[in-house]
Amino acid sequence: MSHPEFKFLPRLRKQLFIVVFGTDTRAGKLFDIILLWAIVLSVVSVMLESVREIRDAYATVFFISEWFFTILFTIEYLLRLFITIEPKKYAFSFFGIIDLLATLPTYLTLFVAGGSYLVVIRSIRLLRIFRILKLGRYLREASVLTDALAASRHKILVFLGAVFTLAMIMGTLMYMIEGGESGFTSIPRSIYWAIVTITTVGYGDIAPQTVFGQVVASMLMLMGYAIIAVPTGIVTTEIAQAERDKKESEAAAKRVCPNCGMRGHDDDAIYCKNCSAKL
Amino acid sequence: MSHPEFKFLPRLRKQLFIVVFGTDTRAGKLFDIILLWAIVLSVVSVMLESVREIRDAYATVFFISEWFFTILFTIEYLLRLFITIEPKKYAFSFFGIIDLLATLPTYLTLFVAGGSYLVVIRSIRLLRIFRILKLGRYLREASVLTDALAASRHKILVFLGAVFTLAMIMGTLMYMIEGGESGFTSIPRSIYWAIVTITTVGYGDIAPQTVFGQVVASMLMLMGYAIIAVPTGIVTTEIAQAERDKKESEAAAKRVCPNCGMRGHDDDAIYCKNCSAKL
Amino acid sequence: MSHPEFKFLPRLRKQLFIVVFGTDTRAGKLFDIILLWAIVLSVVSVMLESVREIRDAYATVFFISEWFFTILFTIEYLLRLFITIEPKKYAFSFFGIIDLLATLPTYLTLFVAGGSYLVVIRSIRLLRIFRILKLGRYLREASVLTDALAASRHKILVFLGAVFTLAMIMGTLMYMIEGGESGFTSIPRSIYWAIVTITTVGYGDIAPQTVFGQVVASMLMLMGYAIIAVPTGIVTTEIAQAERDKKESEAAAKRVCPNCGMRGHDDDAIYCKNCSAKL
Amino acid sequence: MSHPEFKFLPRLRKQLFIVVFGTDTRAGKLFDIILLWAIVLSVVSVMLESVREIRDAYATVFFISEWFFTILFTIEYLLRLFITIEPKKYAFSFFGIIDLLATLPTYLTLFVAGGSYLVVIRSIRLLRIFRILKLGRYLREASVLTDALAASRHKILVFLGAVFTLAMIMGTLMYMIEGGESGFTSIPRSIYWAIVTITTVGYGDIAPQTVFGQVVASMLMLMGYAIIAVPTGIVTTEIAQAERDKKESEAAAKRVCPNCGMRGHDDDAIYCKNCSAKL
């Protein structure tokens, strides 16, 4: 809204912009809440439709609801595209692409069957609920998490690379040892098993049967058990760092002694703790 | 007990109050220990009753024990309700509701069959054992845990919201990929599978069979493996913070200003922050 | 060995004591290494014997090896009991009880069949390898771990109590919801399932089949996913604390300025960093 | 390249050395990127060959690609061996052994069938991608991880030793309790089950059926749930330490003594610890 061209927009478009993109006005908040409910209903509708018994019983209801929401979201998408000052920027933004991907598939069902499920990706929008409801505290907490994850993304990528290499080698080894009978029918499938094992998910659809296979699998499990500590260590350190930064920047902003210039006095301090001058 | 109206209560009610709600007197402690044993016995009785062979052999014993404990707990509930100064406050308190929920169902079995199992929720009361046995150290430790969890509840809610959204999208994706044969019969069921996978539980009752499904599942597992670091990081930081706060408040209580008697000065403070006297 | 009565012992007993209980002399070390190998061989022998094919083929070998090791360990036990100054203290010590439990069962097989497997608990002794091989660094690291676990035992007990209560309530709830067909045949069995799920082990031998059961199970998994952060947070904080304590006590022991008394100078410091006096 | 004999090498060998072992020149980088692609293609080829349907359809393609890559990697191996100043050092280095192990097996298939899968271990080389692409930031992050793991290797070994001993004892116990019907057919197999359970992998191919077995299994799971905190705590503390060290060494490099030029003074130092000049 602080865009330089904003003030030259026609009045109606300006107002629509504030309603559609903003969350500060009453109308803007209402628009967002209605949109959230529409997303929830459309997602629930798609989910129920996937259950055979419910689909067979209420086929017409689902057909109508699907087209109702598709048209609604199409209008919303076009509205956003028309209203914004930089349509290209919106069209290629994260939410712009999600809005398009969630709407298009239903139109394709006119020509080819299936594929209207993509509306579910629109549920990412539901995460905006924290901003719409002005849950400032949640937003600040979320930013600590996001910062910590962003700061540790290099380490986590290196880590995942190493884990995947380990899975590739151990998977191939198990394929050579177990030889197909107990589910290790190909190397890709064995690598899938190795990932299932390292991450401690352990479905059990593929499991070693030979003694040597079980020994190797045990080693892989103990490795997985020890390595899981690595991403945890990374993220913990980063979160602790992010929290400390937040606190320090808050402390630094606190009162400064007019005499000696020392910062970081407590809220209830009347005199400087360093030179005893009045604050 | 520090309630202003407390001293005007009749003598008997006062004494009963101290016995039933307090844990400081001999009688109060005895009452609580008897109650704990009654809860343990009633819970064990309900559990054994659920095992078919045992239920068939001792049907009468369970019938009697069930009604014995129900009447006992009913008396306890009414006693608490009568004795306390603010019955409404107790009735709608956490433990008040639990006491009611644990007692009511048995009476309902007079009219409808089944449903006496709710007595198990009374076992939450067993956690009071730490307070009754005056295990002060355990209580303090527990409060560090509770504080840390309370302080991180916003972050954990945001995190669980993000995890659930991820499960919804990946579940739908897997429903589209696997198409029903390997257990992904509906979107809700596929979301259930996604949660089973992200949390690394991995029952294996539903597991991908197609190559592409296994690739997507592997990605989900690696994601789950990396994300589990987030709640751990959050709680670790908070526990470290809670421990540090406890220590600092203990340390701060030590430095006293010789002039104005104020406590809580920083370690590096040279002058009192309240009256500027030299420390 | 610093026991006041030690010097009055007969010469032979003194020397035997040093060999059997000590690890500092050549003979004492040799005794321990032979003992370690005997334990390894006896444990491996018991394990192999449990494999039907191997047991059928080498029955005599296992019979001889079992009695050989039993007699060997009996001699060792009696030797320790005779040599030590305080036989009672050894007999009721942790390792004294393990030594007895690992030896007795074989004698019982003379009268009743089965039960010679308890020799495996003797493998706890194998952990002494770090002390015998004088791997000081490992010992110090192990002590950091042991200290951290000991310091956090109160918190972990409170935590396990809370987890078990949660498992009891959720298990009963699932028994009521699922009703026996999908494996939830009794409350104890459902509690077993709840523990399998919260700890993210997830065997899959019992798994919810109804929609409502899967919803409740999903909630339990997400809870388990969030709670696993708690013991991690506890132990991490304690390990960090133990490391810091070790470092601080090392730093405090470092050189003190003879002029101003300041501690904590670096190893390479020549002058006091506070008052510039020569160290 | 800073080897003292390096400058006396013939010109061609010198240039080849820079291309094959270095990554700083254009040619060196190109050589490495081609090599990386060759590794990726050879690994993908081996994986696809293990899928029966694909192998049957494209048998000739796989035969040719296998020999093509084998000869290519043989040339690379010999080239490295010939070019380097110390062939022995390369031959027995980590990557030297991997290069040999990945190449040899195919030649063995001339005499005995199977066994060409070892080419997959060459994928470890793919981790060098971070160095080749000069992703300095990733390298520094990776070194923090490697340092933290290296610093905690003693603790993790002690921990894994304790976990394995626990698995041995609990496995034997379960073998005695369950007695073969539910999959606990031998002690080694029961130990395998115990490891699967402690690490929370939980395949479910072996699972306790008796009530007592399930009680013991539940205890093992809760133990595993609490112990997983230990490696996490270890690695987190080490990563935090490694990060702090990096920061401190950066900070210490900043304060320089104006008299003697020494670096690395503490933040609170007033006088140079080397020459006592005022900082």
Side-chain angles (χ1 to χ4, degrees), chain C residues 3 15 22 28 37 45 54 60 70 75 82 106 111 114 119 128 158 173 193 199 219 226 239 259 263-265 269 278:
Chain C
H3 195 280
Q15 280 177 333
W37 276 109
S45 152
I54 303 179
T60 335
T70 303
I75 293 169
F82 169 76
T106 314
F111 312 104
V119 79
R128 289 182 60 208
V158 169
L173 194 61
W193 167 86
T199 57
M219 280 166 50
I239 289 180
N259 186 38
R263 281 158 188 280
H265 298 286
K278 195 153 192 172

Side-chain angles (χ1 to χ4, degrees), chain A residues 63-131:
Chain A
F63 183 80
I64 294 169
S65 103
E66 194 180 328
W67 279 104
F68 173 75
F69 286 119
T70 302
I71 290 163
L72 191 78
F73 292 140
T74 308
I75 293 169
E76 185 222 341
Y77 182 71
L78 295 176
L79 200 67
R80 281 183 193 270
L81 213 57
F82 169 75
I83 278 172
T84 189
I85 299 161
E86 299 166 299
K88 266 195 192 164
K89 207 174 153 191
Y90 167 68
F92 292 102
S93 72
F94 181 65
F95 279 117
I97 290 165
I98 280 176
D99 287 352
L100 185 65
L101 278 178
T103 320
L104 264 191
T106 314
Y107 293 105
L108 294 178
T109 56
L110 290 177
F111 311 106
V112 288
S116 68
Y117 302 121
L118 274 171
V119 79
V120 170
I121 64 169
R122 195 175 272 270
S123 60
I124 292 175
R125 285 232 150 187
L126 294 178
L127 290 177
R128 289 183 59 208
I129 198 165
F130 295 119
R131 201 164 71 200

Side-chain angles (χ1 to χ4, degrees), chain C residues 81-92:
Chain C
L81 214 57
F82 169 76
I83 278 171
T84 188
I85 300 160
E86 298 165 300
K88 266 194 191 165
K89 207 174 150 190
Y90 167 69
F92 292 102

Side-chain angles (χ1 to χ4, degrees), chain D residues 209-226:
Chain D
Q209 296 302 329
T210 65
V211 171
F212 191 45
Q214 290 178 345
V215 169
V216 173
S218 299
M219 280 167 51
L220 187 62
M221 279 170 228
L222 288 174
M223 270 189 244
Y225 198 54

Side-chain angles (χ1 to χ4, degrees), chain B residues 161-258:
Chain B
V163 165
F164 190 72
T165 307
L166 179 64
M168 250 165 51
I169 291 166
M170 295 301 274
T172 308
L173 194 61
M174 286 301 280
Y175 172 70
M176 288 162 67
I177 293 170
E178 287 281 325
E181 265 130 81
S182 42
F184 296 83
T185 47
S186 68
I187 293 183
R189 214 174 136 82
S190 303
I191 292 174
Y192 163 71
W193 167 86
I195 292 174
V196 168
T197 299
I198 298 179
T199 57
T200 78
V201 170
Y203 288 130
D205 51 346
I206 314 169
Q209 296 301 328
T210 65
V211 171
F212 191 46
Q214 291 178 346
V215 169
V216 173
S218 298
M219 279 167 50
L220 186 61
M221 280 169 228
L222 288 174
M223 269 189 245
Y225 198 55
I227 333 181
I228 204 172
V230 175
T232 308
I234 296 168
V235 175
T236 303
T237 311
E238 292 299 343
I239 289 180
Q241 189 58 45
E243 289 277 4
R244 224 175 297 134
D245 288 355
K246 211 177 71 180
K247 209 165 286 173
E248 263 170 32
S249 72
E250 280 167 16
K254 278 180 208 153
R255 277 195 106 185
V256 188
C257 171

